[in-house]
Amino acid sequence: MGSQPLILLSNDDGVSAEGIQVLRSALQRLGQVVTVAPATEQSAKSHGITLHRPLRHERFEGEVHSVDGTPVDCVYIALHHEGLLPRRPDVVVSGINHGPNLAVDVVYSGTVAAAREGALRGIPSIAFSQERDGDKQMAAIHAANLVERFLQAEPLPPQVALLNVNIPAHMPQGVRTTRLGQRHYDEGVVCREDPRGRDYFWIGGPGVISHYPIEGSDTEAVDQGFTSITPLSLSGTRSDHFGVAAYVAGADAESIES
């Protein structure tokens, strides 16, 4: 790594969101920051990528860019189009998301997906989220300090590091390394009829109604006023379920050892 790290910054709340703006300002003491973020909010887009329409790009002052696509589109274009980055970034940073990304949220989160796309491309990546109505200036300074330590982490593991960070609304009591917890949403589908007599649907309820108390989890840490840092895996293989897969495959199927 050179004397001035190159940081690729993205999010899912959009290029104009307060969270990404304050984080950009806080990160600039660490090195060169290039923002490539969605033109509009893209929350809950997960790892979606746009394949069937052209994507529009707009350049702003100070190495800030918008793309009218998903968070993953933004990171993908930044890494593959020579006109946006001067070189390969040292780290991909995503956030600060307006609201936490805890437990199963990481599956749906566009914020986490932007960081995951960086990690899939072999770049250490970190996603930041904060409880709603939190002190974003505090969170940005806190996040920048964590990015600084992330850049200094040596040696990194053989697989590229992907971290999911959740910051409480107010000054954290400390930082904990955690595992993913469990949250239960008030889920449902509301069906209504439009003026032309056709049904339409609203997905989801008003939000989280409970979560399970799991020791060492991200939900526990944030509930207790701590910042949680959860390392995420890029591997989707459940090695402890090879027995189930072998049973489904049948007696004559080939298998590998777990």
Side-chain angles (χ1 to χ4, degrees), residues 190-202:
V190 176
C191 178
R192 293 177 181 168
E193 188 176 281
D194 69 20
R196 297 185 180 181
R198 296 175 299 186
D199 288 343
Y200 68 91
F201 302 98
W202 280 105

Side-chain angles (χ1 to χ4, degrees), residues 94-115:
S94 183
I96 299 169
N97 190 66
H98 297 180
N101 278 306
L102 299 161
V104 74
D105 296 346
V106 301
V107 176
Y108 300 96
S109 167
T111 301
V112 175

